[in-house]
Amino acid sequence: MKTKTIELEAIGVIKTPWKTPDNMPIQPTGAKGIKGIIEVFPKFSDGLKGVDGFSHIMLIYQLHLVENTKLEVIPFMDNTPKGIFATRSPKRPNKIGVSIVEIEKLEGNKIHILDVDMMNNSPLLDIKPYFEDFDNRTGTKKGWLTNKQDIDKYHFKSDKRFI
Ligand SMILES: C[S@@+](CC[C@H](N)C(=O)[O-])C[C@H]1O[C@@H](n2cnc3c(N)ncnc32)[C@H](O)[C@@H]1O
């Protein structure tokens, strides 16, 4: 089957303190209180109306500095290979990251956010409001992460495995 190339246009850029992919948080839960700023490009700023009524938003962005993709990886938090789609590893074929962050304030076309786990200048593809009635599921199966409840998720940092 022929694969289809899909073109996407960035709607903005995410500014964060993270300049290199190692020794940074691997998820927003490990980045509590770390500040970032989303700069939405002016042509998309009308789309921000009402966004600040939500405390949290879901960011969909490009993991733009990923060079090589892999279908099997040894993920953060484990030592045995897993299929890429069973992980949150950045080495994914379409290099898409998803993070739920907290809104601090909206100022014009800038959204000040907290809990950033993406690198500086990651191109932003979409913003969706986090709505717990839709998004918060309990009692789910946790796959290979089942026995990781004790992991210190608030301090776990990325290492050099994906550089
Ligand atoms: C494990 S991924 C998780 C990202 C997102 N929360 C998700 O679940 O899709 C986060 C790691 O990807 C790497 N990373 C983050 N932003 C990146 C970017 N723009 N380009 C390349 N690697 C990036 C860093 O090593 C970071 O610790």
Side-chain angles (χ1 to χ4, degrees):
M1 200 175 85
K2 228 178 147 191
T3 57
K4 196 172 167 190
T5 303
I6 300 166
E7 280 187 26
L8 297 173
E9 180 181 3
I11 61 160
V13 67
I14 313 171
K15 300 285 181 182
T16 76
W18 310 119
K19 310 279 193 261
T20 60
D22 63 322
N23 203 30
M24 62 173 277
I26 59 165
Q27 287 297 334
T29 45
K32 274 275 165 229
I34 306 290
K35 293 181 185 235
I37 299 178
I38 299 171
E39 295 177 5
V40 173
F41 299 142
K43 72 184 254 198
F44 298 106
S45 59
D46 283 351
L48 293 174
K49 218 169 283 173
V51 162
D52 54 341
F54 293 88
S55 63
H56 291 74
I57 45 178
M58 201 182 286
L59 304 181
I60 299 157
Y61 53 92
Q62 192 189 21
L63 297 155
H64 67 309
L65 296 179
V66 169
E67 286 175 6
N68 308 307
T69 62
K70 284 183 171 179
L71 290 183
E72 279 191 38
V73 293
I74 297 176
F76 299 126
M77 302 168 72
D78 204 79
N79 295 314
T80 55
K82 307 280 182 284
I84 187 80
F85 304 124
T87 77
R88 298 288 188 91
S89 158
K91 290 277 177 190
R92 15 200 6 98
N94 285 319
K95 304 173 190 175
I96 302 281
V98 176
S99 299
I100 295 163
V101 297
E102 186 172 349
I103 296 184
E104 201 176 30
K105 61 180 172 188
L106 173 66
E107 247 176 12
N109 65 336
K110 290 194 171 82
I111 314 175
H112 295 252
I113 52 173
L114 300 170
D115 312 342
V116 293
D117 71 329
M118 66 296 289
M119 290 184 64
N120 189 39
N121 290 326
S122 295
L124 182 62
L125 301 174
D126 205 354
I127 300 171
K128 298 186 188 212
Y130 177 82
F131 184 55
E132 64 183 29
D133 298 21
F134 294 160
D135 299 319
N136 196 9
R137 305 287 176 92
T138 53
T140 57
K141 281 169 68 179
K142 297 178 183 174
W144 62 269
L145 286 157
T146 299
N147 296 316
K148 308 285 186 192
Q149 296 96 328
D150 295 336
I151 206 94
D152 185 356
K153 62 185 174 187
Y154 297 105
H155 295 103
F156 206 88
K157 294 281 188 284
S158 63
D159 53 28
K160 293 193 184 298
R161 77 184 72 187
F162 295 126
I163 300 173

